[in-house]
Amino acid sequence: MERRKFLSLLSLVLITFIVFIFIFDNLPSSTNFHSVNKAAVELELAQPPPRKLTRHVHVSDMASHPLDPLTVQEVNRVRSIVTTHALFKTAKKYALHSVVLEEPQKPSVLRWKEGDPLLPRKASVIARVDGGTHVMSVDLGSGRVEMVDVGEVSGYPTMTIEDMNTATFTPLESKEFNRTVVDRGVDLEDLACLPISTGWYGKKEEKRRLIKVQCYSMEDTTNFYMRPIEGLTVIVDMDTNQVVEISDNGKDIPIPKAANTEYRFAAQKNNIHHKIKPINPISIEQPKGPSFTVENGHMIKWANWEFHLKPDPRAGVIISRAMFRDPDTEELRNVMYKGMASELFVPYMDPSDAWYFKTYMDAGEYGFGLTAMPLDPLNDCPRNAYYMDGVFAAGDGRPYVRSNMVCVFESYTGDIGWRHSESPITGMEIREARPKVTLVVRMAASVANYDYIVDWEFQTDGVVKIKVGLSGILMVKATPYTNTNQVPNHDDLYGTLLSENVIGVIHDHFITFYLDMDVDGSDNSFVKVNLKRQQTSPGESPRTSYLKATRSTAKTEKDAQIKLKLYDPSEFHVINPNKKTRVGNPVGYKVVPAGTAASLLDLEDPPQKRGAFTNNQIWVTPYNRSEEWAGGLFVYQSHGEDTLATWSERDREIENKDIVLWYTLGFHHIPCQEDFPIMPTVSSSFSLKPVNFFERNPILGMPPNFEKDLPVCQAASSAS
Amino acid sequence: MERRKFLSLLSLVLITFIVFIFIFDNLPSSTNFHSVNKAAVELELAQPPPRKLTRHVHVSDMASHPLDPLTVQEVNRVRSIVTTHALFKTAKKYALHSVVLEEPQKPSVLRWKEGDPLLPRKASVIARVDGGTHVMSVDLGSGRVEMVDVGEVSGYPTMTIEDMNTATFTPLESKEFNRTVVDRGVDLEDLACLPISTGWYGKKEEKRRLIKVQCYSMEDTTNFYMRPIEGLTVIVDMDTNQVVEISDNGKDIPIPKAANTEYRFAAQKNNIHHKIKPINPISIEQPKGPSFTVENGHMIKWANWEFHLKPDPRAGVIISRAMFRDPDTEELRNVMYKGMASELFVPYMDPSDAWYFKTYMDAGEYGFGLTAMPLDPLNDCPRNAYYMDGVFAAGDGRPYVRSNMVCVFESYTGDIGWRHSESPITGMEIREARPKVTLVVRMAASVANYDYIVDWEFQTDGVVKIKVGLSGILMVKATPYTNTNQVPNHDDLYGTLLSENVIGVIHDHFITFYLDMDVDGSDNSFVKVNLKRQQTSPGESPRTSYLKATRSTAKTEKDAQIKLKLYDPSEFHVINPNKKTRVGNPVGYKVVPAGTAASLLDLEDPPQKRGAFTNNQIWVTPYNRSEEWAGGLFVYQSHGEDTLATWSERDREIENKDIVLWYTLGFHHIPCQEDFPIMPTVSSSFSLKPVNFFERNPILGMPPNFEKDLPVCQAASSAS
């Protein structure tokens, strides 16, 4: 009883505290999680000393490129403009859910050159004011606020960090909840709760901004994710901060043990192996330093590539104005105007009460950038990495800095750029090989349990490889079973028994990328190059069949709704129909899928309607400033009426127009014991590859490695 | 006239020479190519000084493991046994097409332990003697030769290097050929010819060991592949060294120009770019040296992995006895008994006279190992790589050494083994990440123009990733067209116009891997874990659908003939049904496909019958010593009656048995201008991944990188 009061008081104090701590600090360093508990404190002592992390305050940063994100000063300016606006002055309650640069119109950006005066700076603000959602265009110069009409849409904006935090406290206000927790054998001090987006399934999720809170025990482990209080779900109204409903259908399900769940290095003392030789130190070394430059904080220049890079609270990172200097003409050529992770869709495959709604859309619901935490130097990125900070706005509009949110580094794996040896057939003494060096832009979003590592890898041959790695911790389900031999029918588990009482539930991950390709200019076409078997005519050839490539240009959007087929293969080119190579091929880039997975849910299932942007692997739409987020601008609790699928259904013309390519990378994840208690990274990727974009191999002239140029290294301990 | 006589004489001298040069030398250093021409000599002068290459003579090497390849002494011993055998003593003509270790029976190898006496050494020899093919088992101890009955099969053994070389000279014996070449404007001194396997299309290719020779001009370039004398095909009998037929249907097709075809660094003087900043030196550095050891020349031990590695003339490299030390129990556990590239199938998609037969099976026709040339240190493999030589036998049975044929190195790309940060939702100060370090075994086969880079990448988390990179030079077709606007119908090119008069012909690459998995023992089963949409019952859930995984064990081979399907996805497990984890899951490994391509040729097309092992992406067969080569033991001119497809058709039982998994990695290649004059590497891969093989994440205990352990490096020029 006393404890509960204490906790309520503590919650209030902390909530008040949270409102103030977002200034000039990155969020995770604040103790804004409600469990100030003994386990964490004790374990804290065992932590290794924190590694060096350079912190920049960014108060004096100035924008220098039209696409530069809002600076600290600009966020402050937005806040002072907005909060003095009539709408806010009379408001009882408001929160800013998004404060980002309103990018200038594309033609203005394309016309802008380095040295030109900066284009007028505007901010795009999404706010909740007294229960209503407002989109505003804020002119930073004049201070003018323009209300943007986004029409009647069903969803809500991305949650604020404060929304998520508050939601995790709210259940504690309920005596019923507290009693239930104690009845399940969990000390309230050990409680850790997560805010889980509700999705939309009909009336129950309409007209109120709801979140479902589920809780865990963090007794004896920091990896509370492995200790769910199964079946206990609290529905919280995020606007009123009230408990709407508590359901508990897991009373008989034990809470899995803490044993073997800890993953931190400091807690691995017992994992010392005598028969396994440790790996000697290994490092990518660049004695003359990295070869890329970062100009004015955001322009990255490396080898033939130039592009603008910025952190974004929703997309994570945004690559803009990617251009490649043609080695033959030395001309800087446009490749992509803008590329980013647009939306994610992560449906879990368990239809039961505490699980059916877990169909996350991480970018639009949680913010793929808001959850991208500081990268760990030497482990998340190699030595010589450059770290870029994110400047975001808290719910009250104050700026805060997410340190080291993005890293940029050169990678050399030992791979080969190109090679040829003359074979014993000719016996000529030729042995030519070139090392492959790439530039990687990386961020890692920790959307609660899961970690998504997103790499944009730029190659000297013009290829851009987009790789997504999945790591972090599974979302697991508790069960009374401790061995599969107790399960009457294997298939009813909805997943794999990973440890005693722990099921890893089957789920999918889809990440849909927005790729505004501008191949040598904005007007492009989408061409399918289909390979089909041709039968030869009798007497034509000793062969009866061969493959023939047929090119067809997509006229409208529906021509470009692509499901990949192994037995009906195509290449997918974005070409510039107005520019040809010397021998007459249209210049282009192709999207090259690698391993992927398709969504198999019922098209009419509510989550699939909301995630309908995964109905195809490839889509092409005409460029439209308002169509950037594949699940819609407001995906939280949306009904799915404003997705890429609905836009594409309009079947607009896309030939020889400014077009946007969308690609969805998918994973089916049937968990296995190796994923317990933390998952080794699983990756997949796709590439954008020049196809007749260059007259010839663009890395023909690159030099090989010579011994004399490589570094001379010593072990650190033996170095002076 | 005089010139032709000179060339004939030169040929004779060279042929005689070739017979003697294979001793203790690797083939490419010999000048056994017939064009001792001015261009090559002039260009020679411009070459950079050769890089350091350690050469080992291997005369005193001794086998120490039952799977160690034949040593120099052993090859010599085989030769002396065989050539004094009755069959050879009376022979007019013979050649040894394959001299390799006859691996001891699997149970004997499995029983053998380090320190045990070596198992009896035997050689498997394939010889052509007076027009007949013989397979012999040669006991190196007793000197006994046993003739092996392989039944009535249609094909011939892998060509010898001498076969290939002789074939390229033979056309010069024909006045008609020489006249044609001169008529096409090519100086005989500039002629470069290639031996192209004929395939099998019916009677014409039966009862004679034939090869088709096509020629190129190497005037002003070493990259003669870009200068075909189009349409000129000479059929040569490889047993009699006679011209059988000359066809020329390319009289009006010009030979493409040499301009821009050269790729060697020494010839790139004009490729200096002022606006493109060169890449600073970058290197994978290991101040304390690599972490792997190579014991007795062939046992590789690294981190948790141990395996036996050997070069092979046909497969390239063979990985045997791959075992992983379980970090929880420290027990060494079996994963794979043997893994190798078994066969390739590379059909070109042009049914016309000079092209239809190009449907290479590179391992069985040319020898994937015979064509694997010395790797270039620092460019083919990074610093700290260990290089392994191949010891092979020439056609006369003498041993020769292919230096630096395989490399082994540790790779660190900056990738992440696993990670987790606590998100702003919880605010806990956790940031854990582990760098990903892998061990790579690499070889690169140069099958004439094409280069195949084959990597076996071992990961600390138990994953083995098999990656194939394609580089080298395209096989191109000459054409009168210099621009696509001259082509009446685009589709008749059978490929892409890459440069003036040069077409890159569409083709496929399939590489079929033999993977004798022994997951914790030899008796394994193949399990499909199929994901299917389930509709929920009315009222069961607000969701209407979810995915359910259903396991089914393949009883017989036909159950395991798998075509991959994006919309009917499965996981493919090789499990040990006799061993379960603590919570009752069968221990297993799964094959994880990534990007791939399927063969689409008519199943009854002769090349597809021979390459029928590509009819599925996955097959499983019961272990059978004689079923190792997916296209059959003798694929050269085979009719396709002895392939993996025919074996699998027997539909033998495969449940809880010693089974072999076969995986085919495929590429469709529609060439593009970037592939001219040499191709940037294109890669694809698949993985073998533990699935409930471990009780938990096997890299949980691995330490992060610490600054203090990393090397201290200086630029070479500034180092003392």
Side-chain angles (χ1 to χ4, degrees):
Chain A
M1 291 285 260
E2 219 174 46
R3 173 181 286 160
R4 251 180 285 140
K5 270 192 194 149
F6 167 74
L7 275 166
S8 298
L9 185 68
L10 181 67
S11 303
L12 267 172
V13 171
L14 279 171
I15 291 167
T16 318
F17 184 53
I18 287 163
V19 177
F20 295 101
I21 57 172
F22 290 111
I23 312 154
F24 305 147
D25 203 359
N26 63 60
L27 289 160
S29 63
S30 58
T31 46
N32 53 7
F33 192 43
H34 65 76
S35 57
V36 183
N37 71 74
K38 21 174 215 199
V41 172
E42 274 163 28
L43 289 161
E44 201 69 31
L45 299 171
Q47 287 267 42
R51 283 169 221 114
K52 253 192 304 189
L53 193 70
T54 323
R55 280 218 179 142
H56 301 282
V57 190
H58 297 279
V59 271
S60 56
D61 285 3
M62 300 275 281
S64 60
H65 186 284
L67 298 175
D68 279 355
L70 296 179
T71 63
V72 165
Q73 287 182 27
E74 288 174 332
V75 174
N76 275 323
R77 169 99 173 113
V78 171
R79 181 172 174 266
S80 68
I81 294 169
V82 162
T83 54
T84 53
H85 186 273
L87 182 69
F88 288 73
K89 283 179 88 167
T90 59
K92 289 203 195 81
K93 189 181 172 185
Y94 68 83
L96 304 189
H97 286 250
S98 175
V99 178
V100 294
L101 175 77
E102 181 182 309
E103 294 188 356
Q105 298 286 338
K106 189 167 167 179
S108 312
V109 176
L110 289 172
R111 268 194 310 270
W112 187 88
K113 295 183 312 296
E114 223 180 300
D116 285 357
L118 198 60
L119 299 174
R121 300 282 287 174
K122 288 186 177 181
S124 173
V125 175
I126 299 173
R128 293 276 297 164
V129 182
D130 290 337
T133 301
H134 303 270
V135 179
M136 287 163 283
S137 169
V138 179
D139 189 310
L140 295 183
S142 66
R144 216 167 64 89
V145 176
E146 201 184 308
M147 304 308 286
V148 180
D149 181 12
V150 292
E152 269 298 307
V153 285
S154 55
Y156 297 106
T158 305
M159 289 182 278
T160 63
I161 301 287
E162 296 85 340
D163 280 336
M164 304 182 216
N165 277 297
T166 307
T168 64
F169 290 107
T170 306
L172 288 160
E173 310 283 335
S174 155
K175 288 181 185 174
E176 183 194 342
F177 171 81
N178 293 1
R179 200 180 314 117
T180 304
V181 169
V182 173
D183 285 353
R184 293 286 284 270
V186 178
D187 194 310
L188 288 176
E189 281 187 0
D190 290 325
L191 201 64
C193 300
L194 291 178
I196 301 174
S197 52
T198 53
W200 165 78
Y201 295 88
K203 283 216 176 105
K204 203 174 168 184
E205 290 83 14
E206 285 172 19
K207 305 213 169 99
R208 280 197 297 192
R209 206 161 63 93
L210 300 175
I211 190 144
K212 294 191 172 176
V213 179
Q214 294 189 335
C215 302
Y216 301 79
S217 167
M218 61 191 306
E219 188 184 5
D220 296 330
T221 185
T222 53
N223 190 356
F224 59 86
Y225 301 104
M226 292 298 117
R227 308 202 65 199
I229 304 173
E230 191 56 45
L232 177 61
T233 308
V234 183
I235 305 182
V236 168
D237 183 313
M238 280 194 282
D239 285 327
T240 63
N241 297 336
Q242 282 178 323
V243 171
V244 172
E245 191 184 304
I246 298 175
S247 78
D248 184 10
N249 48 38
K251 286 193 176 67
D252 301 327
I253 303 175
I255 292 164
K257 303 227 166 11
N260 295 320
T261 60
E262 189 56 71
Y263 56 89
R264 294 174 311 148
F265 182 60
Q268 298 302 317
K269 293 205 184 68
N270 297 329
N271 271 321
I272 294 163
H273 309 299
H274 300 284
K275 292 188 183 166
I276 300 164
K277 207 185 147 217
I279 290 174
N280 290 343
I282 183 166
S283 177
I284 301 173
E285 291 295 330
Q286 300 172 284
K288 294 185 176 170
S291 320
F292 63 89
T293 57
V294 183
E295 294 179 8
N296 296 320
H298 296 284
M299 280 302 302
I300 314 289
K301 298 186 179 178
W302 174 77
N304 304 53
W305 283 103
E306 288 192 22
F307 57 89
H308 185 274
L309 169 65
K310 67 176 161 194
D312 182 80
R314 182 162 180 171
V317 296
I318 297 177
I319 308 284
S320 300
R321 303 288 283 125
M323 295 188 278
F324 193 92
R325 195 172 294 280
D326 191 308
D328 280 332
T329 61
E330 302 215 332
E331 175 204 357
L332 203 51
R333 299 172 63 187
N334 285 303
V335 174
M336 184 175 74
Y337 183 74
K338 187 173 184 174
M340 61 178 188
S342 170
E343 193 50 272
L344 290 91
F345 178 44
V346 188
Y348 281 70
M349 302 304 174
D350 181 337
S352 66
D353 178 66
W355 280 81
Y356 75 89
F357 55 89
K358 290 173 185 166
T359 55
Y360 303 97
M361 294 167 75
D362 291 318
E365 292 179 340
Y366 292 86
F368 212 40
L370 292 180
T371 55
M373 302 303 290
L375 295 161
D376 186 24
L378 302 185
N379 290 301
D380 275 325
C381 315
R383 229 187 210 179
N384 290 316
Y386 169 87
Y387 292 88
M388 189 180 286
D389 298 345
V391 171
F392 298 149
D396 65 356
R398 288 181 201 264
Y400 68 88
V401 175
R402 174 64 47 78
S403 302
N404 290 19
M405 177 185 150
V406 182
C407 73
V408 182
F409 62 89
E410 281 168 288
S411 176
Y412 167 60
T413 65
D415 271 353
I416 302 169
W418 60 259
R419 84 178 307 280
H420 183 61
S421 290
E422 273 301 314
S423 76
I425 300 171
T426 68
M428 288 161 73
E429 258 291 7
I430 289 185
R431 218 163 63 230
E432 296 274 342
R434 301 293 179 270
K436 180 173 175 175
V437 180
T438 62
L439 184 81
V440 178
V441 172
R442 173 172 296 165
M443 61 147 247
S446 298
V447 194
N449 55 310
Y450 237 97
D451 290 52
Y452 292 91
I453 303 155
V454 181
D455 284 359
W456 289 78
E457 185 171 18
F458 294 83
Q459 301 186 183
T460 53
D461 59 4
V463 172
V464 183
K465 186 173 173 184
I466 296 112
K467 189 162 98 172
V468 176
L470 309 178
S471 187
I473 301 171
L474 285 174
M475 179 141 274
V476 302
K477 178 175 182 165
T479 172
Y481 300 125
T482 57
N483 194 293
T484 58
N485 61 20
Q486 300 155 355
V487 186
N489 179 352
H490 245 230
D491 301 332
D492 287 336
L493 287 182
Y494 306 116
T496 309
L497 193 65
L498 299 180
S499 181
E500 287 79 2
N501 309 113
V502 178
I503 292 168
V505 175
I506 298 169
H507 57 281
D508 288 342
H509 297 268
F510 300 102
I511 306 102
T512 298
F513 286 87
Y514 171 96
L515 304 157
D516 179 3
M517 302 301 289
D518 274 16
V519 179
D520 268 336
S522 289
D523 287 346
N524 288 176
S525 292
F526 180 71
V527 175
K528 280 181 279 188
V529 184
N530 184 245
L531 279 174
K532 271 229 163 44
R533 176 169 64 229
Q534 295 291 307
Q535 301 292 141
T536 55
S537 325
E540 182 188 351
S541 171
R543 284 268 283 274
T544 67
S545 66
Y546 65 101
L547 301 195
K548 184 171 161 177
T550 308
R551 299 172 67 91
S552 62
T553 302
K555 306 287 178 203
T556 63
E557 290 177 283
K558 286 189 184 174
D559 293 339
Q561 297 177 349
I562 308 287
K563 289 183 177 69
L564 300 175
K565 288 173 189 149
L566 186 64
Y567 280 88
D568 181 17
S570 292
E571 288 191 354
F572 306 101
H573 296 200
V574 174
I575 61 145
N576 187 325
N578 315 301
K579 195 176 166 205
K580 290 192 160 46
T581 62
R582 201 180 66 240
V583 298
N585 294 306
V587 299
Y589 255 75
K590 62 178 174 181
V591 57
V592 186
T596 193
S599 185
L600 304 176
L601 294 179
D602 185 354
L603 291 180
E604 293 306 312
D605 202 352
Q608 190 60 38
K609 281 179 92 158
R610 300 176 64 233
F613 51 89
T614 64
N615 291 355
N616 296 296
Q617 286 82 53
I618 295 175
W619 314 72
V620 177
T621 56
Y623 174 81
N624 181 332
R625 252 169 92 80
S626 70
E627 295 175 2
E628 287 200 321
W629 308 108
L633 180 62
F634 300 131
V635 300
Y636 198 94
Q637 274 174 252
S638 73
H639 307 179
E641 80 283 27
D642 181 34
T643 72
L644 170 55
T646 51
W647 311 333
S648 170
E649 210 51 33
R650 284 188 254 158
D651 207 19
R652 293 162 291 186
E653 291 190 357
I654 53 170
E655 190 179 4
N656 202 6
K657 291 207 178 315
D658 191 359
I659 53 177
V660 175
L661 174 71
W662 305 77
Y663 182 79
T664 296
L665 185 62
F667 302 78
H668 294 302
H669 191 170
I670 304 175
C672 58
Q673 287 186 235
E674 286 77 6
D675 296 335
F676 178 92
I678 192 160
M679 295 177 282
T681 308
V682 168
S683 297
S684 195
S685 66
F686 68 99
S687 296
L688 302 168
K689 186 174 189 298
V691 56
N692 305 313
F693 183 75
F694 300 109
E695 293 289 348
R696 54 177 178 154
N697 180 340
I699 51 170
L700 186 64
M702 85 174 281
N705 268 339
F706 293 106
E707 180 82 35
K708 67 173 175 55
D709 298 324
L710 295 186
V712 176
C713 302
Q714 289 178 290
S717 54
S718 60
S720 56
Chain B
M1 291 284 259
E2 219 176 44
R3 176 180 284 160
R4 250 178 285 140
K5 269 190 194 153
F6 167 75
L7 274 165
S8 299
L9 186 66
L10 181 67
S11 303
L12 267 173
V13 172
L14 280 171
I15 291 167
T16 319
F17 184 54
I18 288 161
V19 178
F20 295 101
I21 57 172
F22 290 110
I23 312 153
F24 305 149
D25 202 0
N26 63 60
L27 288 161
S29 63
S30 58
T31 47
N32 53 8
F33 192 41
H34 64 76
S35 57
V36 183
N37 71 75
K38 17 171 217 192
V41 173
E42 273 163 30
L43 289 162
E44 202 69 32
L45 299 171
Q47 287 268 41
R51 283 170 220 113
K52 253 192 303 187
L53 195 69
T54 324
R55 281 221 177 139
H56 300 283
V57 190
H58 297 278
V59 271
S60 56
D61 284 2
M62 300 275 282
S64 60
H65 186 283
L67 299 175
D68 279 355
L70 296 179
T71 63
V72 165
Q73 287 183 27
E74 288 175 331
V75 174
N76 275 324
R77 169 100 174 113
V78 172
R79 181 172 175 265
S80 68
I81 295 170
V82 163
T83 54
T84 54
H85 187 272
L87 182 70
F88 288 75
K89 281 178 89 168
T90 58
K92 290 203 195 82
K93 190 181 169 183
Y94 68 83
L96 304 189
H97 287 250
S98 174
V99 178
V100 294
L101 175 76
E102 182 183 310
E103 294 188 356
Q105 298 286 339
K106 189 167 168 179
S108 312
V109 176
L110 289 173
R111 268 194 310 271
W112 187 88
K113 295 182 310 296
E114 223 180 299
D116 285 357
L118 198 60
L119 300 174
R121 299 282 287 175
K122 288 187 177 182
S124 172
V125 175
I126 299 173
R128 292 276 298 164
V129 183
D130 291 337
T133 302
H134 303 270
V135 180
M136 286 163 282
S137 169
V138 178
D139 188 310
L140 295 183
S142 66
R144 218 167 63 91
V145 175
E146 202 183 308
M147 305 307 286
V148 180
D149 182 11
V150 291
E152 268 299 307
V153 285
S154 55
Y156 298 106
T158 307
M159 288 182 279
T160 62
I161 301 287
E162 296 85 340
D163 281 336
M164 303 182 217
N165 277 297
T166 306
T168 64
F169 290 107
T170 307
L172 288 161
E173 310 282 338
S174 155
K175 287 181 186 174
E176 183 194 342
F177 172 80
N178 293 2
R179 200 180 315 118
T180 302
V181 169
V182 173
D183 285 354
R184 293 287 283 271
V186 177
D187 195 312
L188 288 175
E189 282 187 0
D190 291 324
L191 202 63
C193 300
L194 291 179
I196 301 174
S197 52
T198 52
W200 167 78
Y201 295 88
K203 283 214 177 108
K204 205 174 166 185
E205 291 83 13
E206 286 172 17
K207 305 212 169 102
R208 279 196 298 190
R209 205 160 64 93
L210 300 175
I211 191 144
K212 294 191 172 178
V213 179
Q214 294 188 335
C215 302
Y216 300 79
S217 167
M218 62 190 307
E219 190 185 3
D220 297 330
T221 185
T222 51
N223 190 355
F224 59 86
Y225 301 104
M226 292 298 117
R227 307 202 65 198
I229 304 173
E230 191 57 45
L232 178 60
T233 308
V234 183
I235 305 182
V236 169
D237 184 313
M238 280 194 283
D239 284 327
T240 63
N241 297 336
Q242 282 177 325
V243 171
V244 173
E245 191 184 304
I246 298 176
S247 78
D248 184 10
N249 49 36
K251 285 192 175 69
D252 300 328
I253 303 175
I255 291 163
K257 302 228 164 14
N260 294 322
T261 61
E262 188 56 72
Y263 57 88
R264 295 175 310 149
F265 181 59
Q268 297 302 319
K269 294 206 185 69
N270 298 329
N271 270 321
I272 294 163
H273 309 299
H274 299 285
K275 291 187 183 166
I276 300 163
K277 207 185 148 217
I279 290 173
N280 289 344
I282 182 167
S283 177
I284 301 173
E285 292 294 330
Q286 301 172 283
K288 294 186 176 168
S291 320
F292 63 90
T293 57
V294 183
E295 294 177 9
N296 297 320
H298 296 281
M299 280 301 302
I300 315 290
K301 298 186 179 179
W302 174 77
N304 304 54
W305 283 104
E306 288 193 22
F307 56 90
H308 184 274
L309 169 65
K310 67 176 160 193
D312 182 79
R314 183 163 180 171
V317 296
I318 297 177
I319 307 283
S320 300
R321 302 288 284 123
M323 295 187 280
F324 193 93
R325 195 173 294 279
D326 191 310
D328 279 333
T329 62
E330 301 213 333
E331 176 203 357
L332 202 52
R333 299 172 63 187
N334 285 301
V335 174
M336 184 175 74
Y337 183 74
K338 187 173 184 174
M340 61 178 188
S342 169
E343 192 51 272
L344 290 92
F345 179 43
V346 188
Y348 281 70
M349 301 304 173
D350 181 337
S352 66
D353 177 66
W355 280 80
Y356 75 88
F357 55 88
K358 290 173 184 166
T359 54
Y360 304 97
M361 294 167 76
D362 291 318
E365 292 179 340
Y366 292 86
F368 211 41
L370 291 180
T371 54
M373 302 303 292
L375 295 161
D376 187 24
L378 302 185
N379 290 300
D380 274 326
C381 315
R383 228 185 209 181
N384 290 316
Y386 169 87
Y387 293 88
M388 189 180 285
D389 298 344
V391 171
F392 299 149
D396 65 356
R398 288 182 202 263
Y400 67 89
V401 174
R402 174 66 45 80
S403 302
N404 291 20
M405 177 186 150
V406 182
C407 73
V408 182
F409 62 90
E410 280 168 288
S411 176
Y412 166 59
T413 64
D415 271 353
I416 301 169
W418 60 260
R419 85 177 308 280
H420 182 60
S421 289
E422 273 300 315
S423 76
I425 299 170
T426 67
M428 287 162 73
E429 258 290 7
I430 290 186
R431 217 163 64 229
E432 295 273 343
R434 300 294 179 270
K436 178 172 174 174
V437 180
T438 63
L439 184 81
V440 179
V441 172
R442 173 173 296 166
M443 61 148 248
S446 298
V447 194
N449 54 311
Y450 237 97
D451 291 53
Y452 292 91
I453 304 155
V454 181
D455 284 0
W456 290 78
E457 185 171 19
F458 294 83
Q459 301 186 184
T460 53
D461 60 4
V463 172
V464 183
K465 186 173 173 183
I466 296 113
K467 188 163 99 171
V468 177
L470 308 177
S471 187
I473 300 171
L474 284 175
M475 178 140 275
V476 302
K477 178 175 182 165
T479 172
Y481 301 123
T482 56
N483 194 294
T484 58
N485 61 19
Q486 299 155 354
V487 186
N489 180 352
H490 243 231
D491 301 332
D492 288 334
L493 287 182
Y494 305 116
T496 310
L497 194 65
L498 299 181
S499 181
E500 287 80 1
N501 310 114
V502 178
I503 291 169
V505 175
I506 297 169
H507 56 281
D508 288 342
H509 297 267
F510 300 102
I511 305 102
T512 298
F513 286 87
Y514 171 97
L515 304 157
D516 179 3
M517 303 301 290
D518 274 16
V519 178
D520 267 335
S522 290
D523 287 347
N524 288 176
S525 293
F526 180 71
V527 174
K528 281 181 279 188
V529 184
N530 184 245
L531 278 174
K532 271 228 164 44
R533 176 169 63 229
Q534 295 292 308
Q535 299 293 142
T536 55
S537 325
E540 182 188 350
S541 171
R543 283 269 282 275
T544 67
S545 65
Y546 66 100
L547 301 193
K548 182 171 162 177
T550 309
R551 299 173 68 91
S552 62
T553 302
K555 305 287 178 201
T556 64
E557 289 177 284
K558 286 188 184 174
D559 293 340
Q561 296 177 350
I562 308 286
K563 290 182 177 67
L564 300 174
K565 288 174 189 149
L566 186 64
Y567 281 88
D568 180 17
S570 291
E571 288 192 353
F572 307 101
H573 297 199
V574 174
I575 62 145
N576 187 325
N578 315 301
K579 196 178 165 204
K580 289 193 161 45
T581 62
R582 198 180 69 241
V583 297
N585 294 304
V587 299
Y589 255 73
K590 62 178 174 181
V591 57
V592 186
T596 194
S599 185
L600 304 175
L601 293 180
D602 185 354
L603 290 179
E604 294 305 313
D605 202 352
Q608 190 59 39
K609 281 179 93 159
R610 301 176 64 234
F613 51 88
T614 63
N615 291 356
N616 296 297
Q617 286 83 53
I618 296 175
W619 314 71
V620 177
T621 56
Y623 174 81
N624 182 331
R625 251 168 92 79
S626 69
E627 295 175 2
E628 287 200 322
W629 308 108
L633 180 62
F634 301 132
V635 300
Y636 199 93
Q637 274 173 252
S638 72
H639 306 181
E641 79 284 28
D642 180 35
T643 72
L644 170 55
T646 51
W647 311 334
S648 170
E649 210 51 33
R650 285 188 254 159
D651 207 21
R652 294 162 290 186
E653 291 189 357
I654 53 170
E655 191 181 3
N656 202 4
K657 290 208 179 313
D658 191 359
I659 54 176
V660 176
L661 174 72
W662 304 78
Y663 183 79
T664 296
L665 184 63
F667 301 78
H668 295 302
H669 191 170
I670 304 175
C672 57
Q673 287 186 236
E674 285 77 6
D675 296 335
F676 179 93
I678 192 161
M679 295 177 282
T681 309
V682 168
S683 297
S684 194
S685 67
F686 69 98
S687 297
L688 301 169
K689 186 174 190 297
V691 56
N692 305 314
F693 184 74
F694 300 109
E695 294 289 348
R696 54 175 178 156
N697 180 340
I699 51 170
L700 185 64
M702 86 174 281
N705 269 337
F706 293 105
E707 180 81 35
K708 68 175 174 54
D709 298 324
L710 295 186
V712 176
C713 302
Q714 289 179 289
S717 54
S718 59
S720 56

